[in-house]
Amino acid sequence: MDINFSEYKVLIVDDCRINYLIMKVILERESLEVSLASSAQEAMVFLESNRVDLILMDVLMPEMDGFEFTKWLKSNEKYKDLPILFITALNSPEDVIKGFDLGGSDYITKPFNREELLRRVKHQIRLSHFHNTIVKQNEDLQTIIDNRDRLHAILAHDMRTPISSLKMIFSILSLKNEGDVLDGDFIRMLYAGSDIVEQLFSLLDNLLKRIKSQMGSMSLLPQIFDFDVVVESAVEVSRPAAKLKDICVQVDFQDEIDVFFDIDVMKSIVRNLLINAIKFSNSNSTIQITVGKEDNQLVFEVQDEGIGMTEDVQARLRKRMYGNSVQGTLKEDGVGLGLWIVQYFIDSHKGSFYFRSEEGKGSLFGFKMPIIHDKKST
């Protein structure tokens, strides 16, 4: 890559004017812009109002020597990435090592060779150029990512409203049919439609939570609530999907437990685990939900009798490699967001997420989380 050296500015910090003039002539012949500071204090003043791309630093200077000035520069956020090339008569291994330890980029001993000086200066400028290019590209990329995430968040948020309305419509239709007044085909279509809407809502909700968590704009509102109610709500919401496969969802409340958590996030965690179990369950099977307490921790488990997971899939889950979703027993698709959401929020609240699975026999997913309040202990 060709670099226009005339765009780069070099500051020579040296109390010997003869050394400065020699280096100035050598560097200006290569079109570099060169300035002089005869002391560290003068260099500080110069840096306040001038851009510098490289400092050529003498070590033996009065008041503040080059090593001390380098230490000051590297402790300053504004100058910490500024490359420093020491040019000094100090040539012992200890001095060279000290210069590098303080943050120096390179080291030349006096008397210096013209060609060596040019090669080392140009090398540092090239490194600085590449560094600045990478920083700029990263900033541009981050801007693109931030804009993309904002767009996704807006889309997910705006789409949740009509999907929520559809959910309500299907719920009302399902309730109206409690007396089995509709024929079988219509009922199957009703449950299928309800299941599709629930999947869309869950996908949008998971997408919105993931984007907000990555953008740092996720506001949690923890409160004390009855965990049993959250589980019962998730079972009710998932009822159409379970009916499509004639799945029986059984719940064993071994303890009545109140927890301190964001209730919407907890609903999302429980719903995702239950939907995941339904997705991979065979028809005419059973899903067992267990709610209990162990060592003052909430224990929640969902066990299915479905297709289970291969060793490869289990290994990817342990490494948190989500995204390569496996189709469900009715060819249901997914993008792997559900388990990511579950594990992210459980981890962020000092809980533990776990699973066991055997291919062809089913899976168990569960989590443990600290309890703030237990009804039976009061």
Side-chain angles (χ1 to χ4, degrees), residues 245-341:
K245 296 182 178 181
D246 293 319
I247 293 171
C248 176
V249 179
Q250 299 178 347
V251 184
D252 179 12
F253 292 109
Q254 297 178 356
D255 293 277
E256 294 182 54
I257 302 169
D258 284 353
V259 295
F260 185 69
F261 204 82
D262 184 297
I263 190 168
D264 289 331
V265 171
M266 183 59 79
K267 285 180 179 179
S268 181
I269 291 172
V270 173
R271 184 182 69 244
N272 274 302
L273 289 178
L274 181 52
I275 288 175
N276 186 71
I278 293 172
K279 176 180 177 181
F280 296 107
S281 286
N282 296 309
S283 297
N284 299 300
S285 61
T286 299
I287 292 175
Q288 179 67 49
I289 296 176
T290 304
V291 178
K293 186 182 73 169
E294 180 181 300
D295 298 328
N296 204 37
Q297 285 190 315
L298 163 69
V299 180
F300 176 81
E301 294 181 343
V302 181
Q303 184 159 14
D304 63 63
E305 300 170 347
I307 59 177
M309 294 185 288
T310 64
E311 291 295 331
D312 179 62
V313 171
Q314 293 183 56
R316 283 193 279 117
L317 283 183
R318 291 189 183 95
K319 294 178 181 178
R320 305 192 181 194
M321 296 170 62
Y322 303 108
N324 298 319
S325 182
V326 179
Q327 283 191 327
T329 52
L330 288 184
K331 306 300 181 184
E332 303 101 319
D333 288 319
V335 293
L337 269 179
L339 290 180
W340 186 94
I341 291 293

Side-chain angles (χ1 to χ4, degrees), residues 137-163:
Q137 289 174 341
N138 284 340
E139 290 174 350
D140 292 343
L141 179 60
Q142 189 59 52
T143 299
I144 293 171
I145 292 172
D146 290 344
N147 290 336
R148 180 206 64 188
D149 288 346
R150 289 189 186 95
L151 176 61
H152 287 175
I154 292 169
L155 289 173
H157 181 271
D158 289 351
M159 290 176 68
R160 284 181 77 207
T161 301
I163 296 297

Side-chain angles (χ1 to χ4, degrees), residues 318-373:
R318 291 189 183 95
K319 294 178 181 178
R320 305 192 181 194
M321 296 170 62
Y322 303 108
N324 298 319
S325 182
V326 179
Q327 283 191 327
T329 52
L330 288 184
K331 306 300 181 184
E332 303 101 319
D333 288 319
V335 293
L337 269 179
L339 290 180
W340 186 94
I341 291 293
V342 169
Q343 193 154 4
Y344 173 83
F345 283 110
I346 289 173
D347 288 349
S348 63
H349 286 77
K350 300 180 181 179
S352 59
F353 171 75
Y354 56 91
F355 65 87
R356 297 189 297 273
S357 183
E358 186 174 350
E359 190 174 4
K361 293 188 177 181
S363 303
L364 180 147
F365 285 86
F367 66 85
K368 296 180 181 180
M369 190 172 293
I371 298 172
I372 188 172
H373 182 67

